[in-house]
Amino acid sequence: FWERRLSASIYASLIADARRGCVIVCDTAGLVCAIDLRGALVWAADVKHPVFATPCIDDSSGTLIIAAFGDRAFALSLDTG
């Protein structure tokens, strides 16, 4: 069991990335995090726009695709953010 506080509210569903053994979390301040199954931060990225929609994973390219407010879409590496 673990708990981690982010910088703002979380509205998007969390995504389990089984290949890398982590959970992807996005908050409404634009912080995107990968947290391992023990609760340790693997990486974090700030997209600087609120994220309310659940992102999706493209396993073939190892990419996390995020839709955010402000007419923005982002693609982040699942390995490094």
Side-chain angles (χ1 to χ4, degrees):
F1 170 77
W2 54 267
E3 179 180 333
R4 179 171 283 276
R5 187 178 253 328
L6 298 185
S7 60
S9 299
I10 300 167
Y11 285 89
S13 296
L14 281 61
I15 298 177
D17 181 359
R19 180 176 290 176
R20 291 162 192 81
C22 63
V23 176
I24 306 297
V25 185
C26 303
D27 73 18
T28 56
L31 182 65
V32 181
C33 299
I35 301 169
D36 73 16
L37 300 179
R38 293 189 175 126
L41 183 67
V42 176
W43 57 259
D46 185 0
V47 297
K48 301 188 186 330
H49 293 274
V51 178
F52 288 89
T54 301
C56 61
I57 289 177
D58 177 9
D59 267 330
S60 65
S61 66
T63 304
L64 178 70
I65 302 164
I66 303 163
F69 270 45
D71 304 324
R72 305 284 183 190
F74 299 93
L76 301 176
S77 166
L78 283 163
D79 294 318
T80 61

Coordinates of all heavy atoms in Angstrom, one line a residue:
F1 N 0.8 -1.2 0.0 CA 0.0 0.0 0.0 C 0.9 1.2 0.0 O 1.9 1.3 0.7 CB -0.9 0.0 1.2 CG -1.6 1.3 1.5 CD1 -2.7 1.6 0.7 CD2 -1.2 2.2 2.4 CE1 -3.4 2.8 0.9 CE2 -1.9 3.4 2.6 CZ -3.0 3.7 1.9
W2 N 0.5 2.2 -0.8 CA 1.2 3.5 -0.8 C 0.3 4.6 -1.2 O -0.8 4.4 -1.7 CB 2.4 3.4 -1.8 CG 2.2 3.0 -3.2 CD1 2.2 1.7 -3.6 CD2 1.7 3.8 -4.3 NE1 1.9 1.7 -5.0 CE2 1.6 3.0 -5.4 CE3 1.5 5.2 -4.4 CZ2 1.2 3.4 -6.6 CZ3 1.1 5.6 -5.7 CH2 1.0 4.8 -6.8
E3 N 0.7 5.8 -1.0 CA -0.1 7.0 -1.3 C 0.9 8.1 -1.7 O 2.0 8.2 -1.2 CB -0.8 7.5 -0.1 CG -1.7 8.7 -0.3 CD -2.4 9.2 0.9 OE1 -2.7 8.3 1.8 OE2 -2.7 10.4 1.1
R4 N 0.6 8.8 -2.8 CA 1.4 9.9 -3.2 C 0.5 11.1 -3.6 O -0.5 11.0 -4.2 CB 2.2 9.5 -4.5 CG 3.1 10.6 -5.0 CD 4.0 10.1 -6.1 NE 5.1 9.3 -5.6 CZ 6.2 9.9 -5.2 NH1 6.4 11.2 -5.1 NH2 7.2 9.1 -4.8
R5 N 0.9 12.3 -3.1 CA 0.2 13.5 -3.3 C 0.8 14.2 -4.5 O 2.0 14.4 -4.6 CB 0.3 14.4 -2.1 CG -0.6 15.6 -2.2 CD -0.5 16.5 -0.9 NE -1.6 16.5 0.0 CZ -2.9 16.4 -0.2 NH1 -3.4 16.2 -1.4 NH2 -3.8 16.6 0.8
L6 N -0.1 14.7 -5.4 CA 0.4 15.5 -6.6 C 0.1 16.9 -6.3 O -0.4 17.3 -5.3 CB -0.3 15.0 -7.8 CG 0.0 13.5 -8.2 CD1 -0.7 13.2 -9.6 CD2 1.5 13.2 -8.3
S7 N 0.4 17.8 -7.3 CA 0.3 19.2 -7.2 C -1.1 19.7 -7.3 O -1.4 20.9 -6.9 CB 1.2 19.9 -8.2 OG 0.8 19.5 -9.5
A8 N -2.1 18.9 -7.8 CA -3.5 19.4 -8.0 C -4.4 18.1 -8.1 O -3.9 17.0 -8.0 CB -3.6 20.2 -9.3
S9 N -5.7 18.4 -8.3 CA -6.7 17.3 -8.4 C -6.4 16.4 -9.5 O -5.8 16.8 -10.5 CB -8.1 17.9 -8.5 OG -8.4 18.7 -7.4
I10 N -6.9 15.2 -9.4 CA -6.8 14.2 -10.5 C -8.2 13.8 -10.9 O -9.0 13.4 -10.2 CB -6.1 12.9 -9.9 CG1 -4.7 13.2 -9.4 CG2 -6.0 11.8 -11.0 CD1 -4.0 12.1 -8.6
Y11 N -8.5 14.1 -12.2 CA -9.7 13.8 -12.8 C -9.6 12.6 -13.8 O -10.5 11.9 -14.1 CB -10.4 15.0 -13.5 CG -11.0 16.0 -12.5 CD1 -10.2 17.0 -12.0 CD2 -12.3 15.8 -12.0 CE1 -10.7 17.9 -11.0 CE2 -12.8 16.7 -11.1 CZ -12.0 17.7 -10.6 OH -12.5 18.6 -9.7
A12 N -8.5 12.6 -14.5 CA -8.2 11.5 -15.5 C -8.0 10.2 -14.8 O -7.4 10.1 -13.7 CB -7.0 11.8 -16.3
S13 N -8.5 9.1 -15.4 CA -8.2 7.8 -14.8 C -6.8 7.5 -14.9 O -6.1 7.9 -15.8 CB -9.0 6.7 -15.6 OG -10.4 6.9 -15.5
L14 N -6.3 6.7 -13.9 CA -4.9 6.3 -14.0 C -4.7 5.1 -15.0 O -5.7 4.4 -15.3 CB -4.5 5.8 -12.6 CG -4.2 6.8 -11.5 CD1 -5.3 7.7 -11.2 CD2 -3.7 6.1 -10.3
I15 N -3.5 5.0 -15.5 CA -3.3 4.0 -16.5 C -2.2 3.1 -16.0 O -1.1 3.6 -15.5 CB -2.8 4.6 -17.8 CG1 -3.9 5.5 -18.4 CG2 -2.4 3.5 -18.8 CD1 -3.4 6.1 -19.7
A16 N -2.4 1.8 -16.0 CA -1.3 0.8 -15.6 C -0.5 0.5 -16.8 O -1.0 0.1 -17.9 CB -2.0 -0.4 -15.1
D17 N 0.8 0.7 -16.7 CA 1.7 0.3 -17.8 C 2.5 -0.9 -17.3 O 3.5 -0.9 -16.6 CB 2.7 1.5 -18.0 CG 3.7 1.2 -19.1 OD1 3.7 0.1 -19.7 OD2 4.5 2.1 -19.4
A18 N 1.9 -2.1 -17.7 CA 2.4 -3.4 -17.2 C 3.8 -3.6 -17.7 O 4.6 -4.2 -17.0 CB 1.4 -4.5 -17.6
R19 N 4.1 -3.2 -18.9 CA 5.4 -3.4 -19.5 C 6.5 -2.8 -18.7 O 7.6 -3.4 -18.5 CB 5.5 -2.9 -21.0 CG 6.8 -3.1 -21.6 CD 6.8 -2.7 -23.1 NE 6.0 -3.7 -23.8 CZ 5.7 -3.6 -25.1 NH1 6.2 -2.5 -25.8 NH2 5.0 -4.5 -25.7
R20 N 6.3 -1.6 -18.2 CA 7.3 -0.9 -17.4 C 7.1 -1.0 -15.9 O 7.8 -0.5 -15.1 CB 7.3 0.6 -17.8 CG 7.9 0.7 -19.2 CD 7.6 2.0 -19.9 NE 7.9 2.0 -21.3 CZ 7.1 1.5 -22.2 NH1 5.9 0.9 -21.9 NH2 7.4 1.4 -23.5
G21 N 6.0 -1.6 -15.5 CA 5.7 -1.8 -14.1 C 5.4 -0.6 -13.3 O 5.9 -0.4 -12.2
C22 N 4.6 0.3 -14.0 CA 4.3 1.6 -13.3 C 2.9 2.0 -13.6 O 2.2 1.4 -14.4 CB 5.3 2.7 -13.7 SG 5.3 3.1 -15.4
V23 N 2.4 3.1 -12.9 CA 1.1 3.7 -13.1 C 1.4 5.1 -13.6 O 2.2 5.8 -13.1 CB 0.3 3.7 -11.8 CG1 -1.0 4.4 -11.9 CG2 0.1 2.3 -11.3
I24 N 0.6 5.5 -14.6 CA 0.7 6.9 -15.1 C -0.4 7.7 -14.5 O -1.6 7.3 -14.6 CB 0.6 6.9 -16.7 CG1 1.6 6.0 -17.3 CG2 0.7 8.3 -17.2 CD1 3.0 6.3 -17.1
V25 N -0.1 8.9 -14.0 CA -1.1 9.8 -13.3 C -0.9 11.2 -13.9 O 0.2 11.6 -14.1 CB -0.8 9.8 -11.8 CG1 -1.9 10.7 -11.1 CG2 -0.7 8.4 -11.2
C26 N -2.0 11.8 -14.2 CA -2.0 13.2 -14.7 C -2.9 14.0 -13.8 O -4.0 13.6 -13.4 CB -2.6 13.3 -16.1 SG -1.8 12.2 -17.4
D27 N -2.5 15.2 -13.5 CA -3.3 16.1 -12.7 C -3.8 17.3 -13.4 O -3.3 17.6 -14.6 CB -2.6 16.4 -11.3 CG -1.5 17.4 -11.4 OD1 -1.3 18.1 -12.4 OD2 -0.7 17.5 -10.4
T28 N -4.6 18.1 -12.8 CA -5.2 19.3 -13.5 C -4.3 20.5 -13.5 O -4.7 21.5 -14.1 CB -6.6 19.7 -12.8 OG1 -6.3 19.9 -11.4 CG2 -7.6 18.6 -12.9
A29 N -3.1 20.4 -13.0 CA -2.1 21.4 -13.1 C -1.2 21.2 -14.3 O -0.3 22.0 -14.6 CB -1.3 21.6 -11.8
G30 N -1.3 20.0 -14.9 CA -0.5 19.6 -16.0 C 0.7 18.7 -15.7 O 1.5 18.4 -16.5
L31 N 0.8 18.2 -14.4 CA 1.8 17.3 -14.1 C 1.5 15.9 -14.5 O 0.4 15.4 -14.2 CB 2.0 17.4 -12.5 CG 3.1 16.5 -12.0 CD1 4.5 17.0 -12.5 CD2 3.1 16.5 -10.4
V32 N 2.4 15.3 -15.2 CA 2.2 13.9 -15.6 C 3.4 13.1 -14.9 O 4.5 13.4 -15.0 CB 2.3 13.7 -17.1 CG1 2.1 12.3 -17.6 CG2 1.3 14.7 -17.8
C33 N 3.0 12.0 -14.2 CA 4.0 11.2 -13.5 C 3.9 9.7 -13.8 O 2.8 9.2 -14.0 CB 3.7 11.3 -12.0 SG 3.9 13.0 -11.4
A34 N 5.0 9.1 -13.8 CA 5.0 7.6 -13.8 C 5.5 7.2 -12.4 O 6.5 7.7 -11.9 CB 6.0 7.1 -14.8
I35 N 4.7 6.4 -11.7 CA 5.0 5.9 -10.3 C 5.1 4.4 -10.4 O 4.2 3.7 -10.9 CB 3.8 6.4 -9.4 CG1 3.7 7.9 -9.4 CG2 4.1 5.9 -8.0 CD1 2.5 8.4 -8.8
D36 N 6.2 3.9 -9.8 CA 6.3 2.4 -9.8 C 5.3 1.8 -8.8 O 4.7 2.5 -8.0 CB 7.8 2.0 -9.6 CG 8.3 2.1 -8.2 OD1 7.5 2.3 -7.3 OD2 9.5 2.1 -8.1
L37 N 5.3 0.5 -8.8 CA 4.3 -0.3 -8.0 C 4.6 -0.2 -6.5 O 3.8 -0.7 -5.7 CB 4.1 -1.7 -8.6 CG 3.7 -1.8 -10.0 CD1 3.6 -3.2 -10.5 CD2 2.4 -1.0 -10.2
R38 N 5.7 0.3 -6.2 CA 6.1 0.5 -4.7 C 5.8 2.0 -4.3 O 6.0 2.3 -3.1 CB 7.5 0.2 -4.5 CG 7.7 -1.3 -4.6 CD 9.1 -1.7 -4.2 NE 9.2 -3.1 -4.3 CZ 10.2 -3.7 -4.9 NH1 11.2 -3.0 -5.5 NH2 10.3 -5.0 -4.9
G39 N 5.4 2.8 -5.2 CA 5.0 4.2 -4.9 C 6.1 5.2 -5.2 O 6.0 6.4 -4.9
A40 N 7.3 4.8 -5.7 CA 8.4 5.7 -6.0 C 8.2 6.3 -7.4 O 7.7 5.7 -8.3 CB 9.7 4.9 -6.0
L41 N 8.6 7.6 -7.4 CA 8.5 8.4 -8.7 C 9.5 7.9 -9.7 O 10.7 7.8 -9.3 CB 8.7 9.9 -8.4 CG 8.5 10.8 -9.6 CD1 7.1 10.8 -10.1 CD2 9.0 12.2 -9.2
V42 N 9.1 7.5 -10.9 CA 10.0 7.1 -11.9 C 10.4 8.3 -12.8 O 11.6 8.5 -13.1 CB 9.3 6.0 -12.8 CG1 10.2 5.6 -14.0 CG2 9.0 4.8 -12.0
W43 N 9.4 9.0 -13.2 CA 9.7 10.3 -13.9 C 8.5 11.2 -13.8 O 7.4 10.8 -13.4 CB 10.0 10.1 -15.4 CG 9.0 9.3 -16.2 CD1 9.1 8.0 -16.6 CD2 7.8 9.8 -16.8 NE1 8.0 7.6 -17.3 CE2 7.2 8.7 -17.5 CE3 7.2 11.0 -16.8 CZ2 6.0 8.9 -18.2 CZ3 5.9 11.2 -17.5 CH2 5.4 10.1 -18.2
A44 N 8.7 12.5 -14.0 CA 7.6 13.5 -14.0 C 7.8 14.5 -15.1 O 9.0 14.8 -15.5 CB 7.5 14.2 -12.7
A45 N 6.8 15.0 -15.7 CA 6.8 16.0 -16.8 C 5.7 17.0 -16.6 O 4.6 16.6 -16.1 CB 6.7 15.3 -18.2
D46 N 6.0 18.2 -16.9 CA 5.0 19.3 -16.7 C 4.5 19.7 -18.1 O 5.3 20.3 -18.8 CB 5.5 20.4 -15.9 CG 4.5 21.5 -15.6 OD1 3.3 21.4 -16.1 OD2 4.9 22.5 -15.0
V47 N 3.3 19.4 -18.5 CA 2.8 19.8 -19.8 C 2.2 21.2 -19.8 O 1.8 21.8 -20.8 CB 1.8 18.8 -20.4 CG1 2.5 17.5 -20.7 CG2 0.6 18.7 -19.6
K48 N 2.2 21.8 -18.6 CA 1.7 23.2 -18.4 C 0.3 23.5 -18.9 O 0.0 24.7 -19.1 CB 2.7 24.2 -19.1 CG 4.1 24.0 -18.6 CD 5.0 25.1 -19.1 CE 6.5 24.9 -18.8 NZ 6.9 24.3 -17.6
H49 N -0.5 22.5 -19.0 CA -1.9 22.7 -19.4 C -2.7 21.6 -18.6 O -2.2 20.5 -18.4 CB -2.2 22.5 -20.9 CG -1.5 23.5 -21.7 ND1 -2.2 24.7 -22.0 CD2 -0.3 23.6 -22.3 CE1 -1.4 25.5 -22.7 NE2 -0.2 24.8 -22.9
P50 N -3.9 22.0 -18.1 CA -4.7 21.0 -17.3 C -5.0 19.8 -18.1 O -5.3 19.8 -19.3 CB -6.0 21.8 -17.0 CG -5.6 23.2 -17.1 CD -4.6 23.3 -18.2
V51 N -4.9 18.6 -17.4 CA -5.3 17.3 -18.1 C -6.5 16.8 -17.3 O -6.4 16.5 -16.1 CB -4.1 16.3 -18.0 CG1 -4.5 15.0 -18.6 CG2 -2.9 16.9 -18.7
F52 N -7.6 16.6 -18.0 CA -8.8 16.0 -17.4 C -9.1 14.7 -18.1 O -9.8 13.9 -17.5 CB -10.0 17.0 -17.6 CG -9.9 18.2 -16.7 CD1 -9.3 19.3 -17.1 CD2 -10.5 18.1 -15.4 CE1 -9.3 20.4 -16.3 CE2 -10.5 19.2 -14.6 CZ -9.8 20.4 -15.0
A53 N -8.7 14.5 -19.3 CA -9.0 13.3 -20.1 C -7.9 12.2 -19.8 O -6.7 12.5 -19.6 CB -9.0 13.6 -21.6
T54 N -8.4 11.0 -19.8 CA -7.4 9.9 -19.6 C -6.5 9.7 -20.8 O -7.0 9.6 -21.9 CB -8.2 8.6 -19.4 OG1 -9.1 8.8 -18.2 CG2 -7.3 7.4 -19.2
P55 N -5.2 9.7 -20.6 CA -4.3 9.5 -21.8 C -4.3 8.1 -22.3 O -4.9 7.2 -21.6 CB -2.9 9.9 -21.2 CG -3.1 9.8 -19.7 CD -4.5 10.0 -19.4
C56 N -3.7 7.9 -23.4 CA -3.6 6.5 -23.9 C -2.1 6.1 -24.2 O -1.3 7.0 -24.3 CB -4.5 6.3 -25.1 SG -4.1 7.3 -26.5
I57 N -1.9 4.8 -24.2 CA -0.5 4.3 -24.4 C -0.5 3.7 -25.8 O -1.3 2.9 -26.2 CB -0.2 3.3 -23.3 CG1 0.0 3.9 -22.0 CG2 1.0 2.5 -23.7 CD1 0.3 3.0 -20.8
D58 N 0.6 4.0 -26.5 CA 0.9 3.3 -27.8 C 2.1 2.5 -27.4 O 3.3 2.9 -27.4 CB 1.2 4.3 -28.9 CG 1.6 3.7 -30.2 OD1 1.5 2.4 -30.3 OD2 2.1 4.4 -31.1
D59 N 1.9 1.2 -27.2 CA 2.9 0.3 -26.8 C 3.9 0.0 -27.9 O 5.1 -0.2 -27.6 CB 2.3 -1.1 -26.4 CG 2.1 -1.2 -24.9 OD1 2.8 -0.6 -24.1 OD2 1.2 -1.9 -24.5
S60 N 3.5 0.1 -29.1 CA 4.4 -0.2 -30.2 C 5.6 0.9 -30.3 O 6.7 0.5 -30.7 CB 3.7 -0.2 -31.6 OG 3.1 1.0 -31.9
S61 N 5.3 2.1 -29.9 CA 6.3 3.1 -29.9 C 6.8 3.6 -28.5 O 7.7 4.4 -28.4 CB 5.8 4.4 -30.7 OG 4.7 5.0 -30.0
G62 N 6.1 3.0 -27.5 CA 6.5 3.4 -26.1 C 6.2 4.8 -25.8 O 6.9 5.5 -25.1
T63 N 5.0 5.3 -26.3 CA 4.6 6.7 -26.2 C 3.3 6.8 -25.4 O 2.4 6.0 -25.6 CB 4.4 7.3 -27.6 OG1 5.6 7.1 -28.4 CG2 4.0 8.7 -27.6
L64 N 3.2 7.8 -24.6 CA 2.0 8.2 -23.9 C 1.4 9.4 -24.6 O 2.1 10.4 -24.8 CB 2.4 8.6 -22.4 CG 1.2 9.1 -21.6 CD1 0.3 7.9 -21.3 CD2 1.7 9.7 -20.3
I65 N 0.2 9.3 -25.0 CA -0.5 10.4 -25.7 C -1.5 11.1 -24.8 O -2.4 10.4 -24.2 CB -1.1 9.9 -27.0 CG1 -0.1 9.2 -27.9 CG2 -1.8 11.0 -27.8 CD1 -0.6 8.3 -28.9
I66 N -1.4 12.4 -24.7 CA -2.2 13.2 -23.8 C -3.0 14.3 -24.5 O -2.4 15.0 -25.3 CB -1.3 13.8 -22.7 CG1 -0.5 12.7 -22.0 CG2 -2.1 14.6 -21.7 CD1 0.7 13.3 -21.2
A67 N -4.2 14.4 -24.2 CA -5.0 15.6 -24.6 C -5.2 16.5 -23.4 O -5.5 16.0 -22.3 CB -6.4 15.1 -25.2
A68 N -4.9 17.8 -23.6 CA -5.0 18.7 -22.5 C -5.8 20.0 -23.0 O -6.0 20.2 -24.2 CB -3.6 19.2 -22.1
F69 N -6.2 20.8 -22.0 CA -6.9 22.0 -22.3 C -6.0 22.9 -23.1 O -4.8 22.8 -23.1 CB -7.3 22.7 -21.0 CG -8.7 22.3 -20.5 CD1 -9.0 21.0 -20.5 CD2 -9.6 23.2 -20.0 CE1 -10.3 20.6 -20.0 CE2 -10.8 22.8 -19.6 CZ -11.2 21.5 -19.6
G70 N -6.5 23.9 -23.7 CA -5.8 24.9 -24.5 C -5.5 24.4 -25.9 O -4.5 24.7 -26.5
D71 N -6.3 23.5 -26.4 CA -6.2 22.9 -27.7 C -4.8 22.2 -27.9 O -4.1 22.4 -28.9 CB -6.3 24.0 -28.8 CG -7.7 24.7 -28.7 OD1 -8.7 24.0 -28.3 OD2 -7.8 25.9 -28.9
R72 N -4.4 21.5 -26.9 CA -3.0 20.9 -26.9 C -3.1 19.3 -26.9 O -4.0 18.8 -26.3 CB -2.2 21.3 -25.7 CG -2.1 22.8 -25.5 CD -1.1 23.3 -26.4 NE -1.0 24.8 -26.1 CZ -0.4 25.6 -26.9 NH1 0.2 25.2 -28.0 NH2 -0.3 26.9 -26.5
A73 N -2.2 18.7 -27.6 CA -1.9 17.3 -27.5 C -0.4 17.1 -27.3 O 0.4 17.8 -27.9 CB -2.4 16.6 -28.8
F74 N -0.1 16.1 -26.5 CA 1.3 15.9 -26.2 C 1.6 14.4 -26.3 O 0.7 13.6 -26.1 CB 1.6 16.3 -24.7 CG 1.4 17.7 -24.4 CD1 0.1 18.1 -23.9 CD2 2.3 18.6 -24.6 CE1 -0.1 19.5 -23.6 CE2 2.1 20.0 -24.3 CZ 0.9 20.4 -23.8
A75 N 2.8 14.1 -26.7 CA 3.3 12.7 -26.8 C 4.6 12.7 -25.9 O 5.5 13.5 -26.2 CB 3.6 12.3 -28.2
L76 N 4.6 11.8 -25.0 CA 5.8 11.7 -24.1 C 6.3 10.2 -24.1 O 5.5 9.3 -24.3 CB 5.4 12.0 -22.6 CG 4.8 13.3 -22.3 CD1 4.4 13.4 -20.8 CD2 5.8 14.4 -22.6
S77 N 7.6 10.1 -24.0 CA 8.2 8.8 -23.9 C 7.8 8.1 -22.6 O 7.8 8.7 -21.5 CB 9.7 8.9 -23.9 OG 10.3 7.7 -23.5
L78 N 7.3 6.9 -22.6 CA 6.9 6.2 -21.4 C 8.2 5.8 -20.6 O 8.0 5.5 -19.4 CB 6.2 4.9 -21.8 CG 4.7 5.2 -22.2 CD1 4.1 4.0 -22.9 CD2 3.9 5.5 -20.9
D79 N 9.3 5.8 -21.1 CA 10.6 5.5 -20.4 C 11.1 6.7 -19.6 O 11.7 6.6 -18.6 CB 11.6 5.0 -21.4 CG 11.2 3.6 -22.0 OD1 10.7 2.8 -21.2 OD2 11.5 3.4 -23.2
T80 N 11.0 7.9 -20.2 CA 11.6 9.1 -19.6 C 10.7 10.3 -19.4 O 11.2 11.2 -18.8 CB 12.8 9.6 -20.5 OG1 12.2 9.9 -21.8 CG2 13.8 8.5 -20.8
G81 N 9.5 10.2 -19.9 CA 8.6 11.4 -19.8 C 8.9 12.4 -20.8 O 8.5 13.5 -20.9

